[in-house]
Amino acid sequence: MKTKSLGTTGFEISPIVFGGNVFGWTLDEAESFRMLDALIDHGFTTIDTADVYSAWVEGNKGGESETILGKWFAARPGLREKVTLFTKVGSDMGGPGEKGLSKDWISKAIDLSLGRLKTDHVDLYFSHWPDDSVTHEETLGAYQDLLKAGKIRAIGASNYDYALLSSAQKAAKEKGLPAYQVLQPEYNLYDRDGFEGELRDLCIAENIGVVTYFSLAAGFLSGKYRSPEDLKGSKRGGMVEKYMNDRGMAIVKALTEVADAHGAKPAEVALAWLIARDGVTAPIASATSEGQLASFVKAAELRLAADEMTALTEAGAVEAAH
């Protein structure tokens, strides 16, 4: 499988990054192990998780995804070295002081993550959410300590807008601190305003790697949701509802037309569009079946013609709704 260079990190990553939010949510431990084994069998070696996954599930408290991954690594000796592992800090973990990007919490949170993951280092450590209660200098200084200690290999920012990322990069330069090397924005055929424009231009100009989340718009871009009736019984139904409008349907129509021309599925085309977008290194996507993983392989190999890219891009443009 052809890999992608991730900004200035030195990592060569899979063309699609596996989203570990499903571990301990829609997949239990045994199912997660099967999915992870299949992932490696298909040639995907890049996994994204976070300390807080999957705290939103009733009975969970956070750390479930990392814990499952750690058990999997422990049961598969030698495999950790073959995986590029991302995790995050900053979300509210429930206890006093257990959130945000302060030096004190980051230094504690990384050890908790490493313990759950049963590893001595994380390849890429993300600031999960902005924290305006601390300075960039404090956060980046904490990461500098972790880099020196070998607990992390590179740093990234998730959910940072242009103003925040550019000010963080400026602070890093002025203070001689490590700069963010990767951005993780919400970005897909429907949700585009947050990344396109000056934020994408900054990432391209500074060779900041970009791995997108909600790459399939919570499953909406799979094409299986075409009416409110289709949302019933879906664990992601509440997240998909906002896409059920004229623009969303125009995107699904364009996806279906391109998919039919390639003998592909709409989800495969949606991921192929992201892979081909200027400024994007790789989309993050989750799967709960081997069939979906096989779709990732097809998406990674799919080459869209210029007119197909244009048709998809125009269908998803905000003005298409007017």
Side-chain angles (χ1 to χ4, degrees):
M1 183 173 293
K2 191 176 180 183
T3 57
K4 305 283 288 286
S5 296
L6 184 60
T8 60
T9 64
F11 299 138
E12 290 290 320
I13 66 167
S14 305
I16 296 172
V17 176
F18 191 86
N21 61 326
V22 291
F23 304 139
W25 176 26
T26 47
L27 296 178
D28 64 19
E29 186 177 308
E31 292 165 336
S32 296
F33 274 37
R34 285 194 289 273
M35 182 60 56
L36 285 160
D37 289 341
L39 189 72
I40 298 300
D41 288 344
H42 282 292
F44 294 100
T45 57
T46 313
I47 300 170
D48 173 85
T49 188
D51 55 0
V52 76
Y53 296 167
S54 302
W56 55 85
V57 180
E58 189 175 350
N60 285 3
K61 61 182 190 297
E64 289 80 15
S65 175
E66 288 183 335
T67 298
I68 286 172
L69 278 163
K71 289 180 178 178
W72 179 67
F73 285 133
R76 310 284 189 274
L79 202 54
R80 170 66 187 94
E81 290 70 36
K82 297 177 183 177
V83 170
T84 305
L85 180 63
F86 306 167
T87 195
K88 311 179 191 76
V89 61
S91 289
D92 191 345
M93 294 296 287
E98 293 184 339
K99 66 175 180 179
L101 301 174
S102 69
K103 183 170 185 173
D104 184 50
W105 173 234
I106 288 172
S107 66
K108 292 174 184 173
I110 186 62
D111 288 339
L112 292 169
S113 284
L114 293 175
R116 287 187 291 261
L117 290 162
K118 299 187 188 303
T119 184
D120 63 355
H121 76 282
V122 166
D123 297 299
L124 177 56
Y125 202 36
F126 282 98
S127 295
H128 202 164
W129 298 97
D131 179 2
D132 59 11
S133 72
V134 297
T135 63
H136 292 308
E137 289 87 344
E138 179 175 348
T139 300
L140 297 175
Y143 291 147
Q144 184 175 54
D145 291 345
L146 298 186
L147 288 161
K148 285 179 179 175
K151 293 180 180 182
I152 63 174
R153 302 285 167 84
I155 59 173
S158 180
N159 299 298
Y160 275 42
D161 61 14
Y162 170 77
L164 203 58
L165 184 60
S166 58
S167 65
Q169 302 304 82
K170 183 182 178 186
K173 190 173 183 179
E174 290 177 351
K175 304 292 183 179
L177 293 166
Y180 289 121
Q181 297 158 281
V182 183
L183 176 71
Q184 186 172 141
E186 178 178 358
Y187 185 57
N188 55 58
L189 261 168
Y190 188 104
D191 299 298
R192 291 168 49 182
D193 289 356
F195 177 61
E196 291 181 1
E198 56 188 1
L199 182 56
R200 179 171 64 182
D201 293 344
L202 174 66
C203 291
I204 292 170
E206 298 196 6
N207 192 20
I208 297 169
V210 175
V211 290
T212 63
Y213 78 88
F214 265 31
S215 303
L216 292 175
F220 173 71
L221 298 176
S222 68
K224 65 182 177 181
Y225 303 104
R226 294 173 188 255
S227 74
E229 286 292 310
D230 297 331
L231 303 180
K232 291 179 179 176
S234 169
K235 290 185 178 181
R236 294 174 181 257
M239 291 187 279
V240 173
E241 197 170 358
K242 70 173 185 175
Y243 301 111
M244 305 290 287
N245 54 42
D246 289 347
R247 187 160 72 91
M249 291 303 107
I251 292 169
V252 170
K253 181 174 181 288
L255 278 172
T256 303
E257 289 172 356
V258 174
D260 288 348
H262 286 271
K265 297 173 182 174
E268 294 162 1
V269 173
L271 291 173
W273 178 85
L274 276 172
I275 291 168
R277 287 296 275 171
D278 200 19
V280 173
T281 310
I284 299 168
S286 301
T288 55
S289 70
E290 268 212 66
Q292 290 173 346
L293 273 186
S295 263
F296 288 180
V297 176
K298 186 152 187 177
E301 295 171 346
L302 193 56
R303 297 293 176 266
L304 302 177
D307 63 325
E308 292 172 328
M309 286 292 292
T310 299
L312 292 164
T313 303
E314 289 181 352
V318 174
E319 55 267 24
H322 304 305

